[in-house]
């Protein structure tokens, strides 16, 4: 068998990279040459029996539902549940839980009915693909940003669960699944992150506060949109969206 020259290898790599940036790669659709949607959503990368994979998906979903419950309970006890939706952590946790639960449901459905791998891709799998493209990198960004920019030295079980276990679950799902990952799907989590930045500006100027410290108009001190802090907030936003987020996709 003839080996490829370095120049041929480079051309082949460039060709594959160009393919990644074609507009069709933006959509959450299985393309010719990809694994079938049945294999992507119903089978493990480790060739486990499908029932074992279903149970594994349930375990991952249940693990993050525990974190969701702990988080809600803490806010209710602290009487700040009304401010639950303002935080990026909770946005990302919501999307991660949506993906994990839908992923488990699809895996269970595939196990129960064993659909033909050549059948049309169901819309629900496309939704799961979009949710995964937001929830997984979103969770990784939240973990890195929290420990680097927000953590103040007080660690609780809930804090560790939603800023540490969340990313462990992401990696466990990545390492045991065989779904396609596309560079252009960065657009989904970029839109998600941009929406949060816009929300943080609205939150500041509407003086919604956080229910804990009346003097805090910002959600996070790194996103302080006051005249004296908006420069730093803008830099942090750009770095997280343009540098950190693509790394986590």
């Amino acid at each position: 068998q003839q080996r490829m020259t370095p120049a041929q290898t480079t051309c082949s790599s460039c060709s594959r990279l160009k393919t990644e940036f074609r507009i069709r790669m933006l959509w959450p659709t299985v393309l010719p040459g990809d694994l079938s949607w049945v294999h992507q959503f119903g089978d493990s990368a480790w060739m486990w029996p499908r029932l074992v994979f279903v149970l594994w998906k349930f375990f991952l979903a249940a693990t993050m539902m525990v974190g969701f419950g702990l988080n809600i309970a803490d806010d209710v006890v602290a009487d700040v549940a009304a401010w639950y939706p303002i935080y990026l952590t909770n946005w990302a946790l919501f999307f991660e839980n949506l993906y994990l639960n839908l992923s488990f449901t699809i895996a269970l459905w595939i196990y129960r009915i064993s659909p033909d791998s050549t059948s049309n891709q169901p819309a629900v799998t496309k939704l799961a693909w979009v949710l995964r493209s937001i929830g997984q990198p979103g969770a990784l960004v939240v973990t890195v940003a929290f420990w680097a920019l927000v953590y103040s030295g007080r660690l609780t079980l809930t804090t560790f669960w939603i800023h540490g276990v969340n990313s462990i679950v992401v990696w466990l799902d990545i390492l045991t699944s065989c779904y396609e990952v596309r560079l252009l799907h960065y657009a989904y989590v970029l839109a998600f992150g941009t929406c949060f930045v816009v929300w943080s500006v609205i939150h500041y100027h509407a003086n919604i506060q956080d229910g804990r410290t009346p003097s805090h108009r910002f959600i996070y001190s790194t996103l302080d949109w006051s005249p004296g802090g908006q420069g730093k907030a803008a830099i942090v936003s750009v770095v997280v969206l343009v540098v950190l987020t693509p790394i986590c996709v």
Side-chain angles (χ1 to χ4, degrees):
Q1 183 178 359
Q2 187 177 4
R3 293 184 178 181
M4 296 178 66
T5 66
Q8 290 174 323
T9 301
T10 301
C11 288
S12 177
S13 298
C14 290
S15 178
R16 286 196 295 269
L17 187 61
K18 284 173 62 178
T19 300
E20 281 292 325
F21 288 97
R22 290 179 180 172
I23 191 64
R24 66 176 185 169
M25 304 300 280
L26 178 63
W27 315 122
T29 306
V30 174
L31 299 173
D34 292 345
L35 287 173
S36 72
W37 68 268
V38 174
H39 291 307
Q40 288 196 45
F41 290 91
D43 293 325
S44 165
W46 298 91
M47 304 299 291
W48 295 338
R50 280 187 175 166
L51 178 58
V52 173
F53 189 56
V54 169
L55 295 174
W56 174 250
K57 285 287 188 177
F58 174 77
F59 168 74
L60 295 180
T63 298
M64 286 317 302
M65 284 302 295
V66 169
F68 183 72
L70 288 171
N71 199 23
I72 290 286
D74 281 3
D75 279 7
V76 170
V77 170
D79 198 25
V80 291
W83 286 270
Y84 181 87
I86 73 174
Y87 295 101
L88 178 61
T89 293
N90 299 340
W91 285 31
L93 186 63
F94 176 73
F95 275 90
E96 184 179 7
N97 272 292
L98 277 182
Y99 159 66
L100 289 170
N101 282 279
L102 186 57
S103 179
F104 158 67
T105 303
I106 294 171
L108 177 61
W109 174 58
I110 290 173
Y111 167 72
R112 291 288 302 275
I113 69 171
S114 297
D116 184 350
S117 61
T118 61
S119 59
N120 291 333
Q121 181 186 359
V124 68
T125 64
K126 298 178 182 180
L127 174 60
W129 205 336
V130 172
L131 292 174
R132 184 183 72 227
S133 299
I134 295 172
Q136 288 192 338
L140 297 175
V141 167
V142 161
T143 296
V144 174
F146 175 79
W147 296 106
L149 302 173
V150 179
Y151 180 60
S152 61
R154 181 174 176 269
L155 183 62
T156 66
L157 176 61
T158 301
T159 297
F160 175 69
W161 209 287
I162 64 178
H163 300 105
V165 174
N166 64 329
S167 287
I168 294 172
V169 168
V170 166
W171 278 110
L172 289 174
D173 187 61
I174 290 172
L175 293 173
T176 55
S177 300
C178 52
Y179 48 71
E180 301 282 341
V181 176
R182 296 178 182 162
L183 294 179
L184 280 188
H185 287 185
Y186 161 62
Y188 297 131
V189 71
L190 176 62
F192 168 80
T194 301
C195 286
F196 183 80
V197 171
V198 172
W199 159 244
S200 71
V201 175
I202 294 171
H203 174 276
Y204 176 83
H205 289 288
N207 195 23
I208 297 173
Q209 301 182 0
D210 61 7
R212 292 178 170 85
T213 310
S215 61
H216 286 179
R217 294 181 59 173
F218 48 77
I219 301 174
Y220 302 108
S221 60
T222 49
L223 291 178
D224 180 0
W225 296 101
S226 65
Q230 59 189 7
K232 176 184 176 183
I235 292 172
V236 169
S237 298
V238 170
V239 170
V240 170
L241 290 175
V242 180
V243 180
L244 178 59
T245 302
I247 294 173
C248 295
V249 170

